[in-house]
Amino acid sequence: MVKKNLLDIETILKYPEVINVTSNINMEVLERTQYCPPVCEVLSKEYTCLEDTDEYRFRFNKEAILQLPDIIGNKVQNVKGVNFLDDTKKKDYRKKRNIGIVFSGGPAPGGHNVIAGLYDAAKKANPDTIVFGFLVGPDGIIENQIIEFTPELIDQHRNLGGFNMIKTGRTKIDTKKKIDLSRQTCKKFGIDTLVIVGGDDSNTNAAFLAQAFYNDGIQVIGVPKTIDGDIQVRDEDNKVLCAISFGFHSAARSFAKQISNLCTDSSSDIKYWHICKVMGRVASHIALEVALQTHANMTLIGEELADYDDILRIRKAEKKGEIDYTAYGMTLRKLSRVICKGIVKRAAVGKNYGVIVIPEGVLEFINEIQVFITKLNTIIADYNLKHDVDFHSTFLLLEEKQDYLRRLARRSREETTFHIWNGRDDDFFNDMPEFFQEGLLAERDSHGNFQFSQVETEKVVMNLVADYLNILKDSGIYKVGIKRDYFTTLLIRDGFNPDSYGHTLFKNYDKGEYLIVKESIMSLKTLKMALVKELLIKEDEKIPKIIEFIYKKSVPNFKTQLHFYGYDGRGCDPTRFDCLYTYNLGLTVFSIIANGGTGQMAAIKNLEKDFTEWAPVSIPIAPLMHLEERQGRLTLVIEKSIVDINSVAFRIVKELRDKWLAADGHQNDNFRRPGPIRFTGRSEEDRPITLKLNALGSTEL
Ligand code: FBP
């Protein structure tokens, strides 16, 4: 072989084609960074002003009145566009400002556009205004870590996903010390407005900071961010002020695309059940949207499970004049039975494969687990309150944590006073697989939230499903249906009479497109006995090869592939909807700042309608507060919005559930292909399907 001279790698790297394909700037990035989202009409005027409206009603929490006295009276304000202002107002609107913005909590596609919108509006009002970014979340405010945005930096990130421009973090500014340090940072940089882009807890924090900084003249504005979609603001009369947080559409679409691929895979290779856990700390909004986007065979909705009552058992007990308390509420066991039912039904029509979507927060809605989470939250919070070191640094290993719990259980046996952790709790806890125990004991976040993403929920549920399916298989209930034509063709091909064997083998040979092997035939031994009994073979003869083949085809092999869709969707590039939404949110934030607002959240109404009808609005945060148990204490927080099981979107999913399970003999799978997130082109859903459907609820049809 002739040895060729190899080009040196330095030279190769200088080739234009090589430079082109190895550059991190490609067409997609260029197209995104150069795109200018359209601007809502009111925001395109020279100035904006805010008009108070009494159209919305809120019921104030007493604690909120006490703790947030200076902002509790804030009103909902509509943003209006004007081309003229009187001189004093104009001067105020155009004054030089120093604005600081921070990302808080998990990333959500579109965050960079909030900054870009705010930056563009601020610079338009006064080119000397400085917009700062606090680095790595609220820690940047406390620790004085700050950058000044430049036009180049902003331009590099327009319409791109992630929070990487300034990073994010989950710190809560909740102690006097942290608040004082934050105030010092603001004073040092002359910051007159703090913008917090975050979820329910971060917007709660924004309200408390607005109160704390009220007399310092520092305005604090919140922006509703989270892929979970659980910041939805409605007033007492259910009038929608903020239908969805930004990032939800992009993340749900990204998950839907991956899950739709799995629907195609499972129905092609027909051997796997793909089990897809999707993010959403508590609420199942993402799972619901994914169901609508993909028509996966089964989608669990946590909020529905919370409502579950076992009517059959309740009635049975009633007949005996008893009350069966265990029939109320969902348990992990019952949940596994619900899933098994669907799997068995599909198998009966020859489909021993499919796709199941499980929301990350499903455990929150399972009574027995919810009780555990609350108890463990309280135990950890109590420990932290009493000791100088926190629970997780004291007890590093699972065994040490288990040991601590065991000691608590022992104390509850020895003392007569009430103890939160008793022997029964401890036994039940120790029966759980270790990975589940680890998950339940995982560190809570700084807001005291249980970190569902750290628990392998899908594994817990599917282990129970696999166990129960084995029982159903052994008792002859879980079988793969054999298509009648297939059976007939193969038997005739091999010279056997299908009718003679069909009646012996199948329980529904007289009718049915899919033939189900009789429950009594559950092994080759019982198959042979049945054939001998019907005189189809003699005692000393072997089972005909084709009959053995058919029988084996009817024996299900339950194979799963587990997937978790979360962090990938939080990091995807925003859909066009989220690009428009977030850029206009950024512009709205400036409008609130320029009009002197504080303790308010920027939002856009009518997101379900045509862009021309979008209406920027400023929402008071304090009236959205309610009391919730956090770290063992009742705490004032913004109420999370969970899936409303009376909503149009949920009712449609419920109604179409059987269709999507496709377990009727004549039904093909009904998978829907949402396609990839495309920045241009018309294939992408232009906004969340749940948003469109739920908007119908307020329309006279
Ligand atoms: P935010 O509420 O901060 O937007 O975060 C949402 C989320 O993505 C949840 O869906 C998930 O449970 C959690 O963050 C994961 O948190 P972490 O990044 O700490 O693993």
Side-chain angles (χ1 to χ4, degrees), residues 104-108 163 169-170 198-202 225-228 230 278-282 286 360 445 449-454 564 566-567 570 640:
S104 179
F163 279 3
R170 286 201 182 275
D200 49 342
D201 288 330
S202 308
K225 164 244 60 158
T226 174
I227 62 160
D228 294 1
D230 55 10
V278 295
M279 251 191 193
R281 190 196 298 278
V282 173
I286 295 183
E360 175 184 87
D445 77 3
N449 292 305
F450 181 75
Q451 309 218 49
F452 284 101
S453 57
Q454 308 302 314
F564 175 30
Y567 300 101
R570 295 197 324 193
K640 247 188 221 325

